[in-house]
Amino acid sequence: MKKQIVSSVLSLAAFLIASSAWAGGNSAPPLSLVGTYDSGSGNGCEIISVQTSTRRAAVINTTEKAVDILDLSSPASPSRKARHALGLKAGEEVTSIAFHPSDDYYLVTVRAAGPKDAGRVEIRGGGDGNLLKTLETGVDPDAVAIDPTGKFAAVANEAEEFWFNKETREFESADGTLTLIRLASGAQGAEAVQIQFDQQTGEKGWTTVDHGRYFERDVDVNGNGKIDENVDLDGNGQIDEGKVVVGTLFYIPVKASEAKGEKKMMLPISNNLPAFLEPENVAFSTDGSRLYVSFQENNGIAVIDTAEAKPVKYFGLGLSAHSADTADDGKAEFSKKLNALREPDGIAVVDTPNGPVLITADEGDTEPGIPELKGTDVAGGSRTVGLFDARSGKIVGDTKGQIDQQVSEAGFYPDERSVKKGSEPEGIVAFNDGGLYAVVTLERANGIALVSFKEPENPTVVATAAIDKSAKPGAIAPEGIAYWKDAATGNQYVATANEKSGTVSVFQVNP
């Protein structure tokens, strides 16, 4: 079996090397910002999906609780064709969107108000926004994708919220799940299947209690329906100095500052039971037969057989060790050793003659930060883009410290985030253009990076581009990203949905 895995990785590497052709003579810059759409909402444009055939994009607008439909026929001047109000109830939130590749509808996910309540996915007309069908999901639907054939969709139900049981004094959370949607019979005939994940406690490459990682969450401990500071968390009738024991989470004591109260409580990650598994993102193989699910805080991947609607494989992503800037001292010196769990957010899948390639944007989402690490603790978030053989889960290569270094050289590195997760690679798309490439959004650096896999074992960051170099770290916050190739011109583009500025940025890509 080991020989087969090695052979698989080598054949994959040979294929990628043979199929790559670096366009060094191309005079156009690899990445250039060509257009901007401003929603007028100030923030809330978080996820974007493009229907290439009609040159339209669908963007969620969390501020307006709506979906904006954009005209991309002129990439330099993206404009809004329509705004579809979703009519959400108090406490509900729109979280993600996916445009069908050929039919005139999109899927949009809605998170319920309560931490235990199931969410939903709405299927709506792309032109008029009319509601065509509603399907129930699991708790906290956070990402939706449609496979390239248009026959399947999937929703990652993150179930990231915790609540406090006053009687048992235990912190609890719903199970993270997956909703698989069959679309072969069209929007009206769509059917949903709820899929449970298997525990991955103790499995190689996944987050373990020995890694010393924590979820950072707001929790309504006193049950008054809001998040308070200066709270008597331990029930002794007074606000104590320092940290107190609030309760337990899977038998591990949870400590918190009563002055800080219910904000950003640190909940220890002790296992990978379903209640701790938090699916973050989903990506299909090009034929729709396989679905890949990322677990950011758990540092793993699940593989789903879409025909059977069940998990067929799991693999952990392990650690990345490389040089990084780990101090927010304004010097941006990439000389310190960073040993970190990858903790992938966005993922992309590209089928090749040798099988599917999985590409990850390794953002990180656990605490504590680097200054608070103790003993054998590892950092959260390797700040890399990783390449994996999707059949075996074997790592082929990653970008190591290149992203942050090149962003620093370009003059827009967020040094104050060095003790956390640096530039924070988040959303990702991948494509073939004389070779395999990926473009990743950098949430804290307010920009993007283009990665080449010409040498699969040593992926290269060939370009970075800022949306606005003068913006404060995370002030624009590009998160979602979509790729398309214009059939008329042959030009390639990516569009980023910028959560904190309420804008969409369009870049031309010339690898």
Side-chain angles (χ1 to χ4, degrees), residues 169-251:
R169 301 203 66 80
E170 294 178 346
F171 289 84
E172 301 174 355
S173 178
D175 291 356
T177 63
L178 179 82
T179 302
L180 181 69
I181 301 171
R182 298 187 175 105
L183 295 171
S185 298
Q188 300 287 359
E191 298 177 341
V193 179
Q194 309 302 331
I195 298 175
Q196 299 289 325
F197 295 109
D198 305 303
Q199 71 159 305
Q200 298 303 307
T201 302
E203 295 297 325
K204 183 179 179 181
W206 293 72
T207 305
T208 71
V209 67
D210 293 335
H211 290 138
R213 308 310 299 166
Y214 291 79
F215 296 109
E216 186 180 67
R217 300 285 189 267
D218 293 344
V219 185
D220 181 15
V221 174
N222 60 19
N224 66 354
K226 59 181 181 178
I227 302 301
D228 298 312
E229 294 181 280
N230 294 311
V231 181
D232 176 19
L233 295 172
D234 59 0
N236 69 352
Q238 62 186 30
I239 304 298
D240 297 303
E241 295 184 5
K243 291 186 176 182
V244 300
V245 175
V246 183
T248 60
L249 179 61
F250 284 104
Y251 309 107

Side-chain angles (χ1 to χ4, degrees), residues 74-372:
S74 175
S77 303
S79 60
R80 187 169 75 223
K81 294 171 67 73
R83 174 166 287 173
H84 300 158
L86 298 176
L88 304 187
K89 298 176 182 178
E92 292 184 334
E93 180 184 358
V94 54
T95 56
S96 189
I97 197 162
F99 226 137
H100 193 276
S102 56
D103 295 343
D104 188 28
Y105 67 82
Y106 57 81
L107 275 62
V108 59
T109 51
V110 178
R111 181 179 295 173
K116 307 177 186 180
D117 299 332
R120 66 182 183 273
V121 59
E122 297 183 352
I123 306 179
R124 291 180 172 266
D128 54 23
N130 286 344
L131 182 62
L132 304 176
K133 189 157 190 175
T134 299
L135 298 167
E136 186 175 285
T137 67
V139 176
D140 288 353
D142 194 55
V144 61
I146 302 177
D147 89 276
T149 72
K151 296 179 180 179
F152 295 98
V155 179
N157 305 308
E158 191 172 11
E160 68 174 348
E161 296 184 70
F162 286 79
W163 61 87
F164 186 67
N165 187 321
K166 288 186 176 181
E167 293 183 1
T168 63
R169 301 203 66 80
E170 294 178 346
F171 289 84
E172 301 174 355
S173 178
D175 291 356
T177 63
L178 179 82
T179 302
L180 181 69
I181 301 171
R182 298 187 175 105
L183 295 171
S185 298
Q188 300 287 359
E191 298 177 341
V193 179
Q194 309 302 331
I195 298 175
Q196 299 289 325
F197 295 109
D198 305 303
Q199 71 159 305
Q200 298 303 307
T201 302
E203 295 297 325
K204 183 179 179 181
W206 293 72
T207 305
T208 71
V209 67
D210 293 335
H211 290 138
R213 308 310 299 166
Y214 291 79
F215 296 109
E216 186 180 67
R217 300 285 189 267
D218 293 344
V219 185
D220 181 15
V221 174
N222 60 19
N224 66 354
K226 59 181 181 178
I227 302 301
D228 298 312
E229 294 181 280
N230 294 311
V231 181
D232 176 19
L233 295 172
D234 59 0
N236 69 352
Q238 62 186 30
I239 304 298
D240 297 303
E241 295 184 5
K243 291 186 176 182
V244 300
V245 175
V246 183
T248 60
L249 179 61
F250 284 104
Y251 309 107
I252 296 179
V254 175
K255 297 181 180 180
S257 163
E258 294 193 316
K260 189 176 179 181
E262 299 168 335
K263 291 186 175 182
K264 296 183 177 180
M265 303 189 75
M266 301 286 276
L267 306 175
I269 301 177
S270 60
N271 60 57
N272 289 306
L273 292 171
F276 263 12
L277 291 176
E278 297 190 356
E280 188 78 27
N281 250 302
V282 288
F284 285 92
S285 61
T286 54
D287 64 1
S289 66
R290 289 289 186 269
L291 169 68
Y292 297 80
V293 186
S294 66
F295 297 86
Q296 187 170 14
E297 293 85 353
N298 314 99
N299 200 46
I301 298 288
V303 185
I304 309 297
D305 182 312
T306 56
E308 297 293 328
K310 67 179 183 180
V312 292
K313 187 178 181 63
Y314 297 88
F315 54 87
L317 298 185
L319 305 175
S320 178
H322 54 82
S323 297
D325 180 33
T326 59
D328 58 349
D329 54 8
K331 297 180 180 180
E333 296 177 343
F334 300 90
S335 58
K336 300 295 183 181
K337 189 74 170 183
L338 176 69
N339 194 36
L341 294 157
R342 298 180 189 279
E343 296 184 346
D345 189 334
I347 55 175
V349 180
V350 180
D351 272 3
T352 76
N354 293 292
V357 180
L358 178 70
I359 306 173
T360 61
D362 305 325
E363 179 194 22
D365 197 33
T366 62
E367 296 299 329
I370 288 173
E372 295 84 29

